[in-house]
Amino acid sequence: MAIWLDSTDFARYALIPEELLPTWEGTEADDVIDGYVSALRLAGHDILTLGAEPLAVTWLAEPLTFARWCYADDDTGLLSAVHAAGSADGWEDVLTLELGGRYVLADAAYEAGRILESLQDAQQPPEALRVELPPGRYRVQSLIVDPDPETQFMLERLLPE
């Protein structure tokens, strides 16, 4: 089972470069949070944002995919659904951005202190996930998958260009 972030009250997540995290104030993504997938440029870094609905999110490192939980009893079929969707038609190109290095995925409105505390406190439900990406240009594509009638996930995959 994946580790899910589901504590957002603001319906937006940001993929924050670790080097920018100590100065993150929680307002940086305010202008781009209405879109399901968007990006902003801050201090020479592209920052991917996932927003529009307060859906739980997880990171699947092997297929380079973010999954958002629309509805499901559990996530047992998630990984097989993501792999099956890999060659499916219907992926929508959303944007292209430069990524690479160590990141933290967290609610975009959380301040640095809260995110850093979450990363260090394994006793509490996670509010942040670590993400590591090889440097390069990535195309972000979105797809909604329905592995069965009672299950739906929204996927955003990163395709190296």
Side-chain angles (χ1 to χ4, degrees), residues 66-153:
F66 295 97
R68 290 192 266 175
W69 188 309
C70 298
Y71 53 86
D73 289 335
D74 58 42
D75 67 353
T76 53
L78 174 62
L79 200 50
S80 61
V82 170
H83 286 294
S87 60
D89 292 334
W91 285 95
E92 177 185 331
D93 287 336
V94 181
L95 53 86
T96 302
L97 66 170
E98 293 282 334
L99 298 171
R102 298 179 65 164
Y103 293 85
V104 173
L105 178 68
D107 189 306
Y110 292 169
E111 294 179 359
R114 181 171 180 172
I115 296 169
L116 291 167
E117 183 179 309
S118 174
L119 290 170
Q120 296 168 354
D121 187 356
Q123 303 303 316
Q124 297 297 319
E127 292 186 340
L129 295 174
R130 293 191 185 279
V131 175
E132 194 156 341
L133 292 167
R137 191 158 183 79
Y138 290 86
R139 183 169 23 130
V140 181
Q141 292 184 320
S142 290
L143 179 70
I144 294 176
V145 295
D146 299 279
D148 63 58
E150 288 82 36
T151 306
Q152 184 177 76
F153 297 102

Side-chain angles (χ1 to χ4, degrees), residues 12-17 19-34 38-43 45-49 106-113 115:
R12 58 187 174 197
Y13 295 95
L15 188 62
I16 307 163
E19 65 189 74
L20 298 183
L21 189 55
T23 61
W24 189 260
E25 296 178 0
T27 58
E28 291 83 349
D30 285 354
D31 293 336
V32 297
I33 54 95
D34 291 334
S38 54
L40 64 115
R41 188 116 178 117
L42 181 66
H45 296 275
D46 285 339
I47 297 173
L48 178 69
T49 64
D107 189 306
Y110 292 169
E111 294 179 359
I115 296 169

